[in-house]
Amino acid sequence: MTQKNKTAWNRENWPIAAAMIQYPNVLPDGSSVQEQTAEQWAETLSDVTELGFTELDPTDSWLRIADLSPSRLDEFLSVTRAAGLSIPAISTARRSVIDPNHGADYLRYLHRVIDTAAAIGAKEIAVGLSAPLSDDQKKALWFWTAKGHVDSPDPAVWKLAVERIRDLGQHAGSVGVTISLEMYEDTYLGTADSSVRFVEDVNHSAVGLNADIGNLIRLHRPVEHWSEMMRKVAPFLRYWHVKNYIRDEDAVTGTVSTSPAPMEFGLINYRQAIKTALQHGFQSAFLVEHYGGDGLSVAARNRDYIRTLLPR
């Protein structure tokens, strides 16, 4: 299912975008990034360009560009162009189409994201089934160590999720955009097997998988080996969120501990993971992420590491 881009990308020009997960939508004074001036957006994006990024993902946990008015969207695009940033893809966060309270609203929002992506020339969007953080997750040092949302075991809900994602796929395909479904714990995309089954049920050429297996190996519970997950999902791989974690398992007590790490230092061997993806024809952008500390600087380090692994 992985589609090849007509452009022969190499390690010099492969799009590797900065995520904006370090930047909140609501500022300390209570104002919203949505309402900032173009100059204020430019000030934030200077962090990105100073670290050498030439691609940006305006992650919607920071700025919902699909909810900007046409004139404000033009302002934002002018800011990114002036900064020398292109936008290969748009990531969405915690806007599940089967959210019991807001699923229909999120579906309409994701249709707007598709139209916005097409209008600005972004070729891919990342969509997931994760839910807003629970109160326990908000209190935890690392949110993935506390209990969060679990997708319903009801087959009717699975069917609804498949139908709504297929609906998005049909729209995306009609405007030249592809959808990458983010793997995330306790959702229908929470294991490699379930993710493959889900995307096969959707059965649309514009819908593939975002093999964000870092979301899974960070869990303090037994998980499938990262290489087995990659082997299963690589044929379906699209826009790819990449990050890594140190993981320690005590076989005697069953204790698991994890912490974020730069890509080359963590459990996942991305040299092998990227090789596996390329063998299956992977030709999409990367999004580099990191939680904790100066995540943007670590993401820049991850970008430079990825370039050493790509074809010359």
Side-chain angles (χ1 to χ4, degrees):
M1 181 176 288
T2 301
Q3 292 182 336
K4 291 189 177 182
N5 191 299
K6 294 180 180 179
T7 302
W9 289 333
N10 57 49
R11 63 177 57 180
E12 301 298 329
N13 62 7
W14 205 295
I16 304 176
M20 298 299 286
I21 58 175
Q22 288 79 27
Y23 297 88
N25 177 262
V26 178
L27 302 171
D29 64 2
S31 62
S32 170
V33 174
Q34 298 290 129
E35 306 303 326
Q36 283 189 306
T37 65
E39 291 75 18
Q40 289 170 318
W41 287 335
E43 183 178 359
T44 300
L45 294 183
S46 68
D47 292 346
V48 175
T49 55
E50 285 174 1
L51 286 169
F53 281 100
T54 54
E55 290 86 26
L56 170 75
D57 180 332
T59 318
D60 73 355
S61 58
W62 171 63
L63 179 66
R64 301 185 314 279
I65 66 170
D67 284 343
L68 295 173
S69 68
S71 62
R72 291 281 283 159
L73 179 59
D74 286 342
E75 277 189 276
F76 180 72
L77 294 177
S78 294
V79 168
T80 59
R81 285 194 294 268
L85 292 166
S86 64
I87 301 176
I90 302 170
S91 290
T92 66
R94 305 189 183 282
R95 302 181 195 280
S96 171
V97 295
I98 51 170
D99 181 284
N101 299 313
H102 305 290
D105 290 337
Y106 290 156
L107 179 63
R108 286 188 288 270
Y109 166 75
L110 292 171
H111 278 293
R112 296 198 300 275
V113 174
I114 291 169
D115 285 332
T116 302
I120 69 173
K123 297 301 182 184
E124 304 183 87
I125 68 169
V127 172
L129 298 175
S130 57
L133 297 177
S134 67
D135 289 341
D136 287 342
Q137 288 178 313
K138 291 176 182 177
K139 295 174 185 175
L141 174 61
W142 302 120
F143 63 83
W144 54 86
T145 64
K147 184 173 177 56
H149 168 82
V150 178
D151 274 347
S152 171
D154 185 347
V157 181
W158 173 285
K159 183 174 183 290
L160 177 63
V162 166
E163 290 172 348
R164 287 183 168 178
I165 295 297
R166 186 184 298 124
D167 175 47
L168 291 171
Q170 290 168 346
H171 179 187
S174 72
V175 294
V177 172
T178 61
I179 293 173
S180 186
L181 299 174
E182 181 183 9
M183 297 175 69
Y184 194 92
E185 75 267 16
D186 297 327
T187 71
Y188 295 148
L189 306 164
T191 67
D193 289 331
S194 181
S195 297
V196 169
R197 179 189 161 207
F198 187 88
V199 78
E200 287 182 333
D201 280 3
V202 171
N203 190 28
H204 195 283
S205 60
V207 180
L209 291 176
N210 170 6
D212 194 347
I213 58 177
N215 285 343
L216 304 181
I217 64 108
R218 70 189 179 188
L219 299 175
H220 288 194
R221 65 177 89 159
V223 294
E224 186 174 24
H225 194 278
W226 67 266
S227 62
E228 276 300 295
M229 288 193 274
M230 276 303 304
R231 181 185 64 80
K232 293 172 181 177
V233 304
F236 306 91
L237 190 56
R238 294 284 175 78
Y239 184 42
W240 192 1
H241 293 185
V242 289
K243 55 182 175 285
N244 214 345
Y245 295 81
I246 293 170
R247 180 181 174 92
D248 184 53
E249 300 179 1
D250 187 325
V252 176
T253 64
T255 301
V256 177
S257 62
T258 64
S259 61
M263 283 176 64
E264 73 263 45
F265 298 149
L267 176 70
I268 301 166
N269 179 353
Y270 273 99
R271 182 177 299 275
Q272 184 57 51
I274 290 174
K275 181 179 180 180
T276 299
L278 293 174
Q279 288 172 340
H280 285 274
F282 174 70
Q283 192 81 44
S284 290
F286 292 91
L287 178 72
V288 282
E289 299 180 310
H290 184 81
Y291 286 101
D294 184 356
L296 187 62
S297 290
V298 178
R301 180 189 185 114
N302 289 342
R303 174 204 63 212
D304 295 343
Y305 167 68
I306 289 171
R307 295 215 181 275
T308 70
L309 307 179
L310 295 171
R312 294 182 182 276

